[in-house]
Amino acid sequence: MGHATEIRVLVVDESAPSRAFIASTLEKGGYIVTSVASGEEAVHEVNAAPFDILVTDINLPGMSGLNLLKLLKDSFPDLEVVIVTSNASSFTAIKALRLGAYDFIIKPVDDPAILTNIVGRAVEKQALTRENRRLMDDMKLKNRELHDALHLMKSANRLCTAISASLDAGEILKRLVEGAVEEVAAKKGYLLLLDRDGSYFSMKVSVGVSRTLAKGFRLRHDQGIAGLVVANNKPLRIDEEVPPPLTHRMLEEDPNGELFTTPGIITVPLQFKGRVAGVVTLSGRADGRSFTAAEIEFLTTLANHSAIALDTAGAFYKLKKGTS
């Protein structure tokens, strides 16, 4: 019998013949076996390299099998322990189970089938425990992501309401960028708009960017991350490692390394009256995390709502101008 994943077993027995029989039987079963004669040697082995299963005699020279069991289970709770005892009804066997031993084998250990069956079941229990823990971790992660998504949804509603309350284009764009930066705890955020003929980007609103850089910023429409997002008309996310094709574009937009802070960059298009008029970019996280898909959706929602607010502000301005 072989194992898809190598299972390492530590055998502890003072008796050389018994130790050799257990080790040989388990090796034939496909396990990787290390055997020692004392608890002290066992502790040294476990501290040097991880083991999955411990098969130990109760009666050992120096440190007893029970003390070895307690010590190793305290430090390595995933280690499954099989006890070898001369009396199944003895107090020590019962205590071993209470201390966390998986099962016990009665001496003499001379039946390969019994030994391999018990160790095999211990391996199955260990695998099930690890899978259950993985599933629980996945569930906790999904619950946390759901909680974060609901929080972002509420924040989006609040910020969209604030954006809609303004009829000033500059104020709308400011609330968009500042609100997004604050909500997702980004280090930097800025909004680039194309000029009237769509040739160049300029920076209209920024957070965490020097005033000098923002005022003098100028980027050709087909350059940088912004140019790519406008051309494709879809959001872009960059995590810790920047894909090689994007490195050149990042340098075009940020030659001095003042705009982009990793990990985490997201850029979404800002559409206005049927065309992409600019982009909104958030960069860097104080907690070192990358941005999530929910946060991209959040920023996209704000950008889309801002475009509607800008259209409303423009219509109001024209109406006001026409009646004045």
Side-chain angles (χ1 to χ4, degrees), residues 1 3 7-11 21-23 25-27 29-33 52-56 79-84 102-105 109 111-127:
M1 178 186 73
H3 298 279
I7 304 298
R8 302 187 73 240
V9 182
L10 178 61
V11 176
F21 174 80
I22 294 173
T25 300
L26 294 178
E27 285 172 347
Y31 300 100
I32 298 173
V33 182
D52 301 286
I53 307 294
L54 171 69
V55 179
T56 181
L79 181 70
E80 292 297 342
V81 181
V82 175
I83 292 293
V84 179
Y102 170 72
D103 205 344
F104 57 83
I105 301 175
V109 183
D111 188 338
I114 292 176
L115 176 62
T116 55
N117 179 265
I118 289 178
V119 171
R121 285 190 286 111
V123 170
E124 290 174 0
K125 175 182 179 279
Q126 187 178 68

Side-chain angles (χ1 to χ4, degrees), residues 86-320:
S86 58
N87 186 354
S89 61
S90 69
F91 171 76
T92 51
I94 296 171
K95 187 174 181 181
L97 294 176
R98 288 176 177 171
L99 287 174
Y102 170 72
D103 205 344
F104 57 83
I105 301 175
I106 306 300
K107 284 184 175 181
V109 183
D110 54 8
D111 188 338
I114 292 176
L115 176 62
T116 55
N117 179 265
I118 289 178
V119 171
R121 285 190 286 111
V123 170
E124 290 174 0
K125 175 182 179 279
Q126 187 178 68
L128 183 60
T129 299
R130 288 172 176 168
E131 178 63 12
N132 286 340
R133 185 182 300 125
R134 186 190 67 79
L135 292 173
M136 288 296 294
D137 289 343
D138 286 347
M139 185 179 298
K140 289 178 182 177
L141 177 61
K142 285 181 172 57
N143 285 338
R144 186 164 62 250
E145 289 174 346
L146 178 60
H147 177 270
D148 291 346
L150 290 173
H151 176 75
L152 282 174
M153 189 181 300
K154 291 178 181 178
S155 297
N157 289 334
R158 174 177 54 80
L159 289 171
C160 286
T161 299
I163 289 169
S164 299
S166 177
L167 292 173
D168 179 79
E171 185 65 23
I172 290 170
L173 297 179
K174 182 180 179 183
R175 289 179 180 180
L176 161 61
V177 177
E178 292 182 352
V181 167
E182 180 180 2
E183 183 56 41
V184 302
K187 291 182 178 179
K188 298 177 182 179
Y190 57 91
L191 184 145
L192 304 182
L193 285 183
L194 287 165
D195 55 20
R196 289 195 175 188
D197 62 4
S199 299
Y200 287 91
F201 289 103
S202 60
M203 191 174 295
K204 296 301 181 182
V205 184
S206 64
V207 175
V209 178
S210 73
R211 183 175 298 181
T212 301
L213 174 60
K215 188 175 180 180
F217 186 88
R218 186 173 170 84
L219 180 70
R220 209 172 66 201
H221 73 96
D222 59 348
Q223 291 184 320
I225 298 298
L228 181 63
V229 170
V230 167
N232 294 334
N233 192 17
K234 62 181 182 180
L236 176 67
R237 180 176 73 180
I238 301 174
D239 294 322
E240 284 195 47
E241 294 191 15
V242 180
L246 297 182
T247 302
H248 178 65
R249 284 191 171 272
M250 288 182 68
L251 288 172
E252 288 178 334
E253 188 166 330
D254 185 23
N256 297 319
E258 297 180 52
L259 295 178
F260 295 130
T261 302
T262 56
I265 300 167
I266 52 175
T267 303
V268 304
L270 176 66
Q271 298 189 53
F272 184 65
K273 292 186 175 181
R275 71 181 183 90
V276 182
V279 299
V280 186
T281 299
L282 301 181
S283 172
R285 303 291 289 268
D287 57 10
R289 293 186 299 117
S290 296
F291 292 105
T292 65
E295 287 166 334
I296 293 178
E297 184 65 28
F298 165 76
L299 186 58
T300 300
T301 298
L302 292 189
N304 291 341
H305 202 84
S306 297
I308 297 171
L310 288 172
D311 194 32
T312 302
F316 178 79
Y317 175 77
K318 288 180 181 179
L319 179 63
K320 184 179 178 181

Side-chain angles (χ1 to χ4, degrees), residues 11-29:
V11 176
V12 191
D13 197 320
E14 181 183 20
S15 167
S18 176
R19 189 168 69 245
F21 174 80
I22 294 173
S24 174
T25 300
L26 294 178
E27 285 172 347
K28 290 176 183 177

